[in-house]
Amino acid sequence: MIKMISKLLIVFSLCCLVASSLLADDQDFKNKGKSRIIVGLGLQFDPNSLGGTIVKDGLDSGQPKTDSNGNYAGQQKAIIAENKLQTLQNLTGGLISYKSTGPMTAGSLTLGYEKDVGDNFFFRAGVNLSTKISGGRTSSTAAGYDWYDVTFYYKSVVVPVYFGIKLNVGSRSAFYIAPGVHYYQAQWGLKGRNDGNGLDAVTGGQAKNLPVAGDAARPGVVNEDAKFSGNGFGLSWLTGVQTKVTEKGYAFIEVETHFSYTQGNAGAKSAGGIAAIAPQPVYPVTVGGNVYRVGYKHEL
C-alpha cells in the first residue's frame, strides 16, 4: 500500500510537470507574497508502530505459565500475536478459531495557513487531527466463548510549523520541500479480554497443554481498557507538489514525516490486567512516520 501511494505521488508529479509545460506562459509565475488556506485528508499506516506487536510479536505478560502438571513453561502473553492464533486455529482444525483486521490505519484531517515569502520561500502552520479508521482488532473463539478479543485504538493532535522552498514549474505547478517542528498530543490504547481461565473451562482444562492456548493470561484479563498518553515536541519534514486548478485554487499531494516520541504511562483497569502487564505500565507514544495526504489550497 505504501509503495503504491509513493508511485501515485510520482505519477501526480509528472502529470503536473507535463501540464505545466503545455500551459506555460513565456515567464514562470512568482509567489509575490500570496497566502492560502489549506484543507487536506491523509492516511497514516501503522500509527505508533504497533503493527509488529499485533501481527507477529505479541507482548509478554509479567506472569509465568505452567503446564497441566504445574511445571514452569515460560511466560504468559498479555497480547497474543495474530500469527500465533492462526497457528492455534490450524492445530485445532478450527475448533479454536480467530479473526483479525491487521495493523491499524489512521485517517488524518489537516487545516492550515500558508504564506509566500519572497519569490521562492514559504511559511506554513496548521493542525493535524488523526484517529484510527481501520485495523487493530483480533479475536478468538473456543466452543462459542470469546476468550480473546483485543482492540487497539489511536488518536493524535499535531501542530506543525514549516519554513521551506517552493520551486515553480511552468505557470501552474510547483514542487515544495520544508523542514519544520511540531508539538503533539497522542494517545493509544487497548481494551478487551485475554481470558485463559475461561479458555481452560470450555476446553476441560486441556488449553494449558496446547501451544499458544497455553500462553493465554491466567488469571484472566477481562474488561481491560488501558490508555497510554504522551505529548512533546519533535521535528518534521514536508514534501509535496501542487498544481493550479481554478483561478485561486490548487490541488496538492504531499508526504509529511514526523520524528518524535515519548514514554507514555497507563493505568491497567482490571485485576487480570494488573497481573499480566503492571499496575502502571509504560510504553512509547509517538506520532512518528509518514502521512500521505491530498487536498486543496485556496488563495486569499
Side-chain angles (χ1 to χ4, degrees):
M1 179 64 74
I2 295 177
K3 290 182 179 179
M4 181 183 69
I5 292 176
S6 299
K7 291 178 181 178
L8 289 175
L9 176 60
I10 294 172
V11 171
F12 185 84
S13 302
L14 292 174
C15 290
C16 289
L17 295 177
V18 172
S20 297
S21 299
L22 295 174
L23 299 171
D25 297 331
D26 292 334
Q27 185 177 2
D28 292 349
F29 74 93
K30 295 297 182 181
N31 293 325
K32 298 179 181 178
K34 295 178 180 178
S35 58
R36 290 165 289 276
I37 57 173
I38 302 167
V39 178
L41 296 174
L43 292 174
Q44 181 179 3
F45 300 98
D46 193 16
N48 214 91
S49 300
L50 290 164
T53 300
I54 296 170
V55 175
K56 63 183 181 66
D57 298 326
L59 182 65
D60 283 342
S61 166
Q63 296 294 311
K65 67 179 180 179
T66 58
D67 60 24
S68 58
N69 296 318
N71 298 317
Y72 174 75
Q75 293 297 118
Q76 298 175 13
K77 287 286 186 179
I79 302 298
I80 302 178
E82 290 180 357
N83 61 345
K84 301 299 184 183
L85 290 172
Q86 175 70 62
T87 299
L88 181 60
Q89 177 173 288
N90 295 342
L91 288 172
T92 62
L95 294 177
I96 301 178
S97 62
Y98 95 106
K99 294 180 181 179
S100 69
T101 57
M104 291 186 288
T105 297
S108 176
L109 169 66
T110 294
L111 303 173
Y113 172 82
E114 181 179 279
K115 183 173 178 60
D116 296 329
V117 180
D119 286 343
N120 291 105
F121 295 94
F122 70 95
F123 165 82
R124 173 167 162 177
V127 59
N128 306 335
L129 307 175
S130 298
T131 188
K132 185 191 88 168
I133 58 174
S134 67
R137 183 176 181 183
T138 307
S139 62
S140 180
T141 300
Y145 176 60
D146 297 327
W147 69 274
Y148 188 87
D149 192 343
V150 173
T151 300
F152 287 80
Y153 61 90
Y154 173 87
K155 60 182 179 181
S156 68
V157 178
V158 181
V159 182
V161 177
Y162 295 97
F163 186 83
I165 186 170
K166 187 180 298 178
L167 304 175
N168 301 309
V169 183
S171 62
R172 290 177 176 266
S173 299
F175 170 79
Y176 54 91
I177 56 175
V181 296
H182 68 265
Y183 171 77
Y184 72 95
Q185 290 187 337
Q187 181 184 94
W188 72 270
L190 65 158
K191 57 184 178 180
R193 65 174 61 219
N194 177 356
D195 186 9
N197 291 348
L199 182 60
D200 291 340
V202 299
T203 59
Q206 296 304 307
K208 281 189 175 185
N209 297 321
L210 291 173
V212 184
D215 295 339
R218 300 172 178 87
V221 180
V222 179
N223 294 327
E224 183 55 73
D225 188 6
K227 301 179 177 68
F228 297 82
S229 301
N231 62 82
F233 294 89
L235 301 176
S236 297
W237 184 263
L238 185 68
T239 305
V241 291
Q242 66 180 46
T243 191
K244 196 169 187 176
V245 292
T246 66
E247 182 180 353
K248 290 190 175 183
Y250 295 81
F252 71 87
I253 184 169
E254 63 189 22
V255 179
E256 185 175 33
T257 305
H258 300 303
F259 306 92
S260 58
Y261 96 101
T262 188
Q263 293 286 4
N265 296 294
K269 303 297 189 298
S270 66
I274 291 172
I277 307 175
Q280 291 291 325
V282 177
Y283 205 91
V285 174
T286 178
V287 295
N290 295 329
V291 179
Y292 300 88
R293 182 181 297 121
V294 297
Y296 176 77
K297 302 180 181 181
H298 190 79
E299 207 168 84
L300 302 176

